[in-house]
């Protein structure tokens, strides 16, 4: 595949695209070290965020700025854009297309970015559409695995926590279909198990997975423990949320049973699912993971806009 026009879901990526993107992301480390570049000078990126974000929005904006581009930001778009007056995402996108060369959208509705992409000519990037997908998070997650472990094949990966509403683990599981010899284990409270749409896609792609309720049984052999937040805002009842939260925690005792060369990842923000005592361990990769988001998003913007 060549450079795609839009970035909407993980299914659109193939292995050559990943290799190319990751090689470019490596190169962006040197670009930052050299004080940035002017490659995207004169280009404008608009970020429309209808849901909260720290890392995704700021790392996209940082990435664009590091490449010499300009940023227009609607941070609380649900409250402060015309969406509050009832404007559809399609109409908002049509307007913003006149102001920007690429539009990054986070929205609570599944498929919102795709709907916007269908009506505009500029590239649209899905920065999270409700509980559905977060494709650029999956890209930076796999890039992090490659940076930390030196490979994206031959891995035992445990996805832990809210696999039902968590768009990050959903997208990562789907992206792993591009990798070889992956052992995938899902560890989740019973009411937030991985959706059948994802498990069916994994089966169709020949990527086997198994479910395990005992996190302690998984830790000693995992190369990657990918912990996630229970997505409080997506539950219809507080009772269901309470049933899911607090069951799986990574702490110092977990680290003792993990391999010395394993890593702990998390898309962040964390609530209580990784104890702060884990942060100082070299296997805690989540802050490096967040930093990788800048390199990866620089590479992606560069690919889409040049
Ligand atoms: N920041 C990630 C997301 O937007 C993970 C999370 O919110 O738990 O999906």
């Amino acid at each position: 595949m060549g450079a795609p026009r839009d970035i909407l879901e993980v299914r659109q990526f193939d292995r050559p695209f990943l290799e190319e993107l990751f090689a470019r992301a490596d190169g962006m480390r040197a670009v930052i070290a050299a004080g940035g570049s002017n490659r995207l000078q004169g280009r404008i990126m608009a970020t429309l965020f209808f849901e909260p974000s720290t890392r995704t929005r700021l790392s996209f904006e940082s990435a664009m700025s590091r490449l010499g581009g300009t940023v227009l930001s609607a941070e609380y778009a649900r409250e402060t854009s015309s969406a509050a007056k009832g404007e559809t995402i399609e109409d908002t996108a049509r307007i913003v297309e006149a102001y920007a060369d690429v539009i990054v959208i986070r929205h609570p509705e599944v498929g919102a970015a795709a709907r916007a992409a269908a009506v505009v000519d500029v590239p649209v990037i899905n920065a999270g559409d409700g509980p559905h997908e977060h494709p650029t998070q999956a890209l930076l997650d796999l890039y992090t695995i490659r940076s930390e472990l030196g490979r994206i094949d031959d891995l035992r990966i445990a996805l832990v926590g809210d696999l039902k509403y968590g768009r990050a683990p959903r997208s990562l599981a789907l992206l792993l279909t591009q990798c070889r010899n992956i052992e995938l284990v899902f560890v989740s409270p019973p009411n937030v198990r991985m959706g059948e749409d994802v498990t069916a896609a994994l089966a169709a792609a020949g990527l086997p997975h198994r479910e395990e309720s005992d996190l302690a049984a998984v830790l000693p052999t995992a190369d990657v423990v990918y912990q996630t937040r229970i997505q409080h805002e997506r539950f219809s009842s507080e009772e269901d949320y309470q049933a899911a939260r607090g069951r799986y925690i990574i702490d110092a005792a977990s680290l003792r049973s993990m391999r010395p060369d394993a890593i702990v990842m998390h898309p962040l923000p964390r609530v209580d699912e990784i104890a702060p005592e884990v942060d100082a361990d070299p296997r805690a990769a989540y802050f490096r993971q967040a930093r990788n988001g800048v390199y990866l998003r620089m590479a992606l913007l560069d690919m889409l806009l040049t």
Side-chain angles (χ1 to χ4, degrees):
M1 78 190 256
R5 194 197 65 158
D6 304 302
I7 301 293
L8 300 175
E9 54 185 13
V10 153
R11 179 171 72 168
Q12 69 187 91
F13 308 135
D14 62 16
R15 181 78 179 227
F17 169 81
L18 296 176
E19 310 270 3
E20 164 76 19
L21 182 69
F22 293 167
R24 286 189 187 215
D26 286 343
M28 293 303 175
R29 295 173 194 257
V31 169
I32 292 183
S37 117
N38 288 328
R39 283 180 66 80
L40 297 184
Q41 192 167 22
R43 315 304 294 278
I44 300 175
M45 176 185 76
T47 52
L48 298 179
F49 276 59
F50 297 84
E51 278 191 343
S53 169
T54 302
R55 277 152 294 275
T56 303
R57 188 176 60 83
L58 291 181
S59 66
F60 262 116
E61 296 182 1
S62 172
M64 191 66 179
S65 304
R66 297 271 196 209
L67 291 171
T70 305
V71 172
L72 305 176
S73 187
E75 181 181 358
Y76 300 104
R78 206 203 292 239
E79 295 83 24
T80 61
S81 79
S82 285
K85 302 179 186 168
E87 186 168 68
T88 63
I89 187 69
E90 286 90 340
D91 279 2
T92 304
R94 281 189 185 102
I95 300 307
V96 173
E97 172 180 39
Y99 310 152
D101 303 302
V102 55
I103 307 176
V104 183
I105 298 178
R106 170 169 291 184
H107 198 281
E109 284 166 29
V110 173
R115 277 166 36 214
V119 298
V120 300
D121 290 326
V122 300
V124 171
I125 301 177
N126 178 8
D129 59 332
H132 182 229
E133 278 227 29
H134 193 350
T136 65
Q137 177 74 47
L139 292 171
L140 79 88
D141 290 344
L142 192 58
Y143 178 65
T144 296
I145 292 172
R146 174 181 171 278
S147 308
E148 296 283 324
L149 302 178
R151 64 187 193 281
I152 57 171
D153 300 309
D154 308 310
L155 293 162
R156 292 197 175 112
I157 301 180
L159 299 185
V160 185
D162 187 345
L163 307 184
K164 177 178 181 182
Y165 299 119
R167 55 196 172 198
R170 285 171 49 86
S171 285
L172 179 57
L174 294 169
L175 190 60
L176 290 170
T177 60
Q178 297 299 322
C179 306
R180 291 178 283 274
N181 192 23
I182 303 294
E183 267 186 57
L184 198 50
V185 187
F186 296 154
V187 185
S188 61
N191 62 343
V192 286
R193 293 170 61 201
M194 183 62 88
E196 279 175 20
D197 58 335
V198 172
T199 55
L202 296 179
L207 172 53
H209 75 275
R210 66 185 173 86
E211 297 199 349
E212 171 63 63
S213 58
D214 182 9
L215 177 61
V218 172
L219 295 176
T221 55
D223 298 302
V224 177
V225 176
Y226 190 98
Q227 174 67 298
T228 65
R229 178 177 69 90
I230 305 296
Q231 309 277 299
H232 194 180
E233 68 276 27
R234 311 253 183 244
F235 283 76
S236 49
S237 87
E238 183 63 21
E239 201 185 329
D240 284 351
Y241 169 66
Q242 291 301 336
R245 66 167 297 277
R247 287 177 73 117
Y248 297 115
I249 309 263
I250 304 290
D251 57 14
S254 321
L255 288 173
R256 280 194 289 278
S257 72
M258 284 176 59
R259 295 161 53 106
D261 55 353
I263 53 170
V264 179
M265 296 177 65
H266 192 306
L268 302 176
R270 72 173 147 184
V271 182
D272 55 6
E273 60 278 0
I274 299 180
E277 67 208 25
V278 175
D279 299 357
D281 192 286
R283 292 169 291 179
Y286 31 92
F287 296 123
R288 295 189 294 274
Q289 180 183 353
R291 178 174 285 261
N292 286 337
V294 178
Y295 310 132
L296 191 285
R297 290 177 171 124
M298 286 172 79
L300 195 61
L301 289 169
D302 193 43
M303 253 189 180
L304 295 182
L305 294 176
T306 58

